[in-house]
Amino acid sequence: MIKHFINLEWKSFFRSAAFQTNLVLKIFMALGALYFIGIFTLAGVGAYFGLEKAGLEPLETVNRFMIYYVILDLVIKYMLQKMPVVNIKPLLLLPFKKAKIVDFALGKTMLSFFNIVHAFFFIPFSVVLIGQGYDPVHVITWHLGMLAMIYINNFINVFLNDAMPLVIGLASIIIGMGALQYYGIFDVTPYTGAYFQGLFEQLWMFAIPVVLALGLYKVAHAYFLKRLYLDQGLSAKAKVATTENLDWLDRFGKTALFLKNDIKLIKRNKRSKTTVIMSVVFLFYGLLFFTGGIESYDNPFMKIFAGIFVTGGFLFSFGQFVPSWDSSYYPLMMTQNISYEEYLKSKWMLVVIAAGISTILGLGYLYFGWEAYAAVFVGGIYNMGVNGHVVLWGGAYIKTPIDLTSNKKAFGDSSSFNVKTLLITMPKLLLPIALYAIGHFTLGPVFGYALIALAGVAGFAFRDFMFKKIIGIYKTEKYKTIAAYKQKN
Amino acid sequence: MIHIHDLSKTYNGVTVLKIDELHIPKGESFGLVGNNGAGKTTLFSALLDLIQPTTGYIQNGEAKVNESEAWKSHTASFIDESFIIGYLTAEEYFYFIGELRGQNKADVDKLLAGFEDFFNDEILGKRKYLRDLSKGNMKKVGIVATLIGNPEVVILDEPFANLDPTTQIRLKGIIKKLAAETGITVLVSSHDLMHVTEVCERIVVLEKGSVVNDIKTSEATLKELEAYFSKEKPLVE
């Protein structure tokens, strides 16, 4: 029976429009995955020797900070891990046992990259531990305990799909705990560290997380088994419609019509709402760079990178997928009396306004000196002037339909922000860094900043020209796009 | 109004649509029938420039649909749910379409008032997004939306499917009135021979992408069509 499921998945994967049109993207994703695997492996091997060199007991230190690792894992899983969409509805009528269908769906989550990747940290780390004379039996039980912790997260994530507040809560807890520890007010790690250390010292203790993980599996299984009905777990929740008055937007003329629609689109669909949250998260991304916390990030080029990211969160996560946001009613748009220019201008205005707001909110980076904010500021200008067009242009080629109305439960396709988005973003970052480098090595950093800003302003000046080009592409891609959007999922 | 010339569509060497010449005069109510795969939706999609014809062209009004976009201002259509914006309420959707067609809220409200019966109190003022409506109700919204802004050509693919009997009867009334009183050119496809013969002055039968019959509707038409399709039955050659 499992054979059938796997067969179906295989086909749906390789026959999807997205797969066939975005082979380059797949290659990028594979490279990205390899990168992370490499990082984790290095961390696994390096953690032991690095900590030892720093004069700390490696295992104990790892255990102390394990709580952050585990919570971070959960948050990342929520943000990035797409819940697998098994085409469940048609299966219900076929002679599959319902329990099998649920098993398969849950089993699919277990094989996710976001679980597997941890193996690349824990296995090398454990091997090094044994190599360094730690008791193999204890290392293995500790290892199993950790594995169980990762899977506990996996099953919690299955339930979490509709619980944004909970996740924000978790993220705040981790930030709060980190801050308290950093300022020496309260340190939670000795308590949680004792638990993780216990997993190593007490042979029996690994049974706790293992039993918990198994228990969660059972609960998740029972939960979905009970809800495997069209009007329960598999139905979309109908929310009471709210209407809002957006007439103040009318000052933007004909563009306002689309602008109003786009705002409704963002407000009323979970996928688009997540992109807004992501852009807020991006605002804080710069902290990694400007605080000097990470050594390899502490150079002017990476700061430009940060500037682009801080101000471009919405631009990348939303703009990237124009026109896919309208994929479910694209034929309507194509048969109505719509000019591409007004349609695109509305999306362009949205991303530019969002980049502008981010640039203003980024003023907080002044705390780290004027150079930090200069990077954010020119990044913002570049995003508004150049990347605003580039994302719309790139969007014409991304023909992945976005199912706004998709089932928002665990079996639905839930998170909007995925690895794909991150990867296609790369080229848009390299040009400003190159521009900066040219300035940096000729007349100095200020000239570098000026070059980026200049490029941004030039982008504005060529707006109409850029729009004409982009519209041309949208027109030539029209039929292909319609055909690809027809393919749901 | 609509002129089809030497139109064909081929997918991977299989011709799914081939119409040498077809002329639909202004104000005609035109019915399209044919079995599954006969090319009805393909023809409508080509009419709306949603697919690119392999050869030939379609002229709607003055313009060839794949060259100019002038036809969009006088043509309204409802093919399937992809013509519905799921996250809007029915009113918002109507106003949106209205604005695209140069109608203000008052104009739209006036038009909608005439469809109170048709909506059967299930559409307006319901505080429901369109995505949460049943298929039948979505269809009602889509069909009425095509009438906003005085179009000259209305294209409806399978308008009777999914509708309840009462609504089907009301829809027939609406379509008949459109062609008879307002001079709108209406193109309808359907599997229901009875409905089409009732509302259309002219019926074209498609088979494997070609026009096999072009009938001016009369008393005898229904019988003629039924005879044709029942003869067709042994499709296994």
Side-chain angles (χ1 to χ4, degrees):
Chain A
M1 200 171 279
I2 283 293
K3 204 182 78 196
H4 290 298
F5 285 126
I6 292 169
N7 191 6
L8 283 177
E9 277 304 314
W10 183 263
K11 283 178 181 155
S12 84
F13 180 71
F14 281 103
R15 293 179 183 178
S16 75
F19 185 79
Q20 284 166 359
T21 52
N22 290 326
L23 193 67
V24 179
L25 218 63
K26 295 276 162 190
I27 293 166
F28 261 110
M29 277 178 74
L31 286 178
L34 282 177
Y35 171 79
F36 280 111
I37 287 170
I39 292 280
F40 272 78
T41 312
L42 274 178
V45 177
Y48 184 91
F49 298 106
L51 289 169
E52 195 176 45
K53 221 169 130 193
L56 296 159
E57 208 310 303
L59 180 61
E60 217 168 276
T61 317
V62 166
N63 278 334
R64 251 186 78 189
F65 290 98
M66 192 48 73
I67 183 71
Y68 291 113
Y69 187 93
V70 169
I71 296 181
L72 201 65
D73 171 55
L74 184 58
V75 174
I76 288 174
K77 274 192 176 126
Y78 178 84
M79 296 289 190
L80 297 181
Q81 188 178 0
K82 277 190 168 180
M83 297 316 288
V85 190
V86 203
N87 290 328
I88 286 183
K89 278 186 199 176
L91 297 180
L92 289 178
L93 297 176
L94 296 173
F96 289 119
K97 285 214 172 68
K98 281 191 167 185
K100 272 272 172 344
I101 297 176
V102 176
D103 271 336
F104 178 66
L106 288 176
K108 223 183 129 188
T109 69
M110 291 174 64
L111 290 177
S112 150
F113 172 75
F114 293 94
N115 291 323
I116 305 292
V117 74
H118 295 291
F120 292 97
F121 172 76
F122 283 113
I123 292 175
F125 188 70
S126 301
V127 169
V128 172
L129 282 180
I130 294 173
Q132 294 295 316
Y134 285 78
D135 181 55
V137 179
H138 285 267
V139 170
I140 287 170
T141 54
W142 177 81
H143 189 92
L144 287 176
M146 288 304 151
L147 198 72
M149 292 304 292
I150 298 300
Y151 278 108
I152 288 173
N153 274 350
N154 183 61
F155 295 123
I156 293 176
N157 184 38
V158 168
F159 287 108
L160 274 189
N161 255 289
D162 244 350
M164 202 60 195
L166 199 70
V167 174
I168 292 173
L170 272 176
S172 333
I173 287 175
I174 194 173
I175 293 167
M177 283 192 334
L180 288 175
Q181 185 173 356
Y182 182 80
Y183 291 110
I185 301 168
F186 173 73
D187 189 356
V188 71
T189 53
Y191 305 98
T192 57
Y195 163 73
F196 290 105
Q197 187 67 18
L199 287 178
F200 175 76
E201 279 161 10
Q202 307 295 330
L203 271 184
W204 57 268
M205 251 184 81
F206 84 95
I208 300 176
V210 170
V211 168
L212 203 61
L214 289 176
L216 270 172
Y217 181 88
K218 283 264 173 242
V219 175
H221 192 274
Y223 178 84
F224 289 117
L225 192 59
K226 228 167 59 193
R227 278 163 188 74
L228 213 56
Y229 289 98
L230 292 185
D231 58 347
Q232 289 182 33
L234 299 179
S235 81
K237 231 189 315 183
K239 284 200 184 118
V240 175
T242 52
T243 49
E244 51 240 289
N245 192 349
L246 296 169
D247 286 344
W248 55 273
L249 283 168
D250 283 340
R251 72 190 66 176
F252 291 111
K254 198 120 204 233
T255 311
L257 177 58
F258 296 104
L259 216 48
K260 280 192 269 188
N261 228 29
D262 286 334
I263 289 175
K264 284 172 193 159
L265 182 147
I266 292 168
K267 284 182 73 175
R268 295 179 184 176
N269 294 291
K270 189 187 169 188
R271 290 193 66 147
S272 41
K273 266 195 259 178
T274 315
T275 64
V276 176
I277 292 164
M278 279 317 294
S279 50
V280 175
V281 172
F282 269 115
L283 265 182
F284 294 99
Y285 186 57
L287 288 175
L288 287 182
F289 296 84
F290 296 121
T291 52
I294 299 171
E295 215 172 293
S296 61
Y297 284 179
D298 199 12
N299 65 61
F301 307 105
M302 289 314 271
K303 280 177 182 157
I304 297 299
F305 183 85
I308 295 285
F309 251 117
V310 165
T311 53
F314 184 77
L315 183 118
F316 291 131
S317 50
F318 183 84
Q320 201 86 257
F321 290 116
V322 172
S324 287
W325 294 108
D326 297 315
S327 63
S328 62
Y329 48 90
Y330 207 59
L332 172 80
M333 304 301 257
M334 289 299 107
T335 53
Q336 290 296 338
N337 198 13
I338 288 171
S339 85
Y340 275 100
E341 193 175 348
E342 282 151 10
Y343 170 75
L344 285 173
K345 209 173 255 172
S346 151
K347 310 278 187 201
W348 178 80
M349 272 174 80
L350 270 181
V351 295
V352 167
I353 290 169
I357 293 172
S358 308
T359 311
I360 293 166
L361 292 177
L363 273 171
Y365 284 105
L366 271 176
Y367 179 78
F368 300 104
W370 71 269
E371 283 200 309
Y373 188 64
V376 171
F377 185 71
V378 296
I381 291 178
Y382 186 84
N383 274 334
M384 289 190 265
V386 179
N387 279 345
H389 299 113
V390 176
V391 287
L392 294 184
W393 176 21
Y397 297 108
I398 303 184
K399 298 189 184 71
T400 323
I402 291 183
D403 192 358
L404 293 165
T405 59
S406 74
N407 196 337
K408 286 163 216 116
K409 288 289 167 55
F411 286 128
D413 172 44
S414 79
S415 290
S416 63
F417 192 81
N418 55 45
V419 185
K420 238 190 213 174
T421 333
L422 268 177
L423 288 169
I424 206 160
T425 298
M426 292 303 172
K428 288 155 202 154
L429 298 162
L430 297 181
L431 187 61
I433 293 176
L435 280 174
Y436 178 77
I438 292 170
H440 185 85
F441 290 120
T442 52
L443 296 177
V446 178
F447 184 54
Y449 291 134
L451 273 183
I452 299 173
L454 213 65
V457 173
F460 272 113
F462 285 106
R463 194 184 80 170
D464 291 338
F465 172 77
M466 294 285 279
F467 263 96
K468 231 184 231 151
K469 285 267 165 234
I470 296 169
I471 289 166
I473 291 162
Y474 273 70
K475 278 188 178 155
T476 49
E477 293 289 311
K478 173 180 165 181
Y479 303 106
K480 275 193 219 160
T481 311
I482 292 171
Y485 286 165
K486 267 229 156 84
Q487 210 178 21
K488 288 271 149 74
N489 184 17
Chain B
M1 193 77 216
I2 292 171
H3 185 78
I4 297 171
H5 179 79
D6 189 29
L7 183 77
S8 78
K9 179 73 189 170
T10 308
Y11 288 108
N12 305 324
V14 181
T15 303
V16 295
L17 192 64
K18 180 148 181 43
I19 297 175
D20 295 331
E21 208 70 38
L22 191 69
H23 185 74
I24 303 170
K26 190 171 162 50
E28 186 171 71
S29 55
F30 175 91
L32 195 60
V33 294
N35 288 327
N36 289 333
K40 300 187 297 293
T41 306
T42 311
L43 176 57
F44 280 176
S45 300
L47 257 169
L48 296 168
D49 195 35
L50 294 174
I51 58 171
Q52 213 169 7
T54 312
T55 67
Y57 61 84
I58 298 174
Q59 199 167 340
N60 181 346
E62 298 297 306
K64 289 183 186 171
V65 293
N66 56 343
E67 285 173 10
S68 151
E69 300 192 49
W71 58 274
K72 287 183 179 173
S73 57
H74 66 252
T75 308
S77 51
F78 183 71
I79 303 294
D80 54 27
E81 279 107 72
S82 64
F83 283 66
I84 291 282
I85 304 180
Y87 55 82
L88 297 182
T89 65
E91 284 91 341
E92 286 171 340
Y93 178 72
F94 290 132
Y95 295 146
F96 177 70
I97 301 287
E99 271 191 73
L100 288 176
R101 309 194 145 263
Q103 304 277 300
N104 63 27
K105 283 189 180 182
D107 298 333
V108 175
D109 284 334
K110 213 172 97 194
L111 181 91
L112 293 181
F115 290 97
E116 224 164 83
D117 271 355
F118 185 67
F119 286 146
N120 198 23
D121 208 19
E122 283 178 81
I123 309 287
L124 297 176
K126 279 292 138 197
R127 298 183 72 76
K128 247 187 180 184
Y129 295 129
L130 292 179
R131 62 182 175 218
D132 298 325
L133 294 181
S134 70
K135 281 204 167 176
N137 281 337
M138 261 192 218
K139 194 155 233 171
K140 288 187 200 172
V141 172
I143 290 170
V144 170
T146 60
L147 306 178
I148 294 172
N150 311 311
E152 290 171 44
V153 177
V154 171
I155 299 172
L156 301 171
D157 194 16
E158 302 267 6
F160 298 106
N162 281 328
L163 293 183
D164 58 72
T166 309
T167 312
Q168 287 185 15
I169 291 163
R170 284 180 180 150
L171 179 61
K172 277 193 280 187
I174 291 169
I175 295 176
K176 268 195 252 180
K177 216 169 96 184
L178 276 183
E181 290 176 17
T182 53
I184 295 178
T185 316
V186 190
L187 281 72
V188 171
S189 79
S190 182
H191 284 305
D192 193 311
L193 300 176
M194 207 142 68
H195 288 329
V196 210
T197 42
E198 214 176 300
V199 299
C200 295
E201 305 162 66
R202 175 187 176 192
I203 290 168
V204 160
V205 184
L206 279 185
E207 193 195 319
K208 290 181 182 153
S210 304
V211 176
V212 291
N213 214 341
D214 191 341
I215 314 167
K216 196 123 195 90
T217 318
S218 67
E219 297 273 310
T221 307
L222 182 58
K223 279 262 168 355
E224 196 180 330
L225 286 173
E226 273 174 353
Y228 174 80
F229 279 104
S230 53
K231 200 169 60 193
E232 273 294 307
K233 239 186 175 169
L235 263 177
V236 266
E237 281 145 287

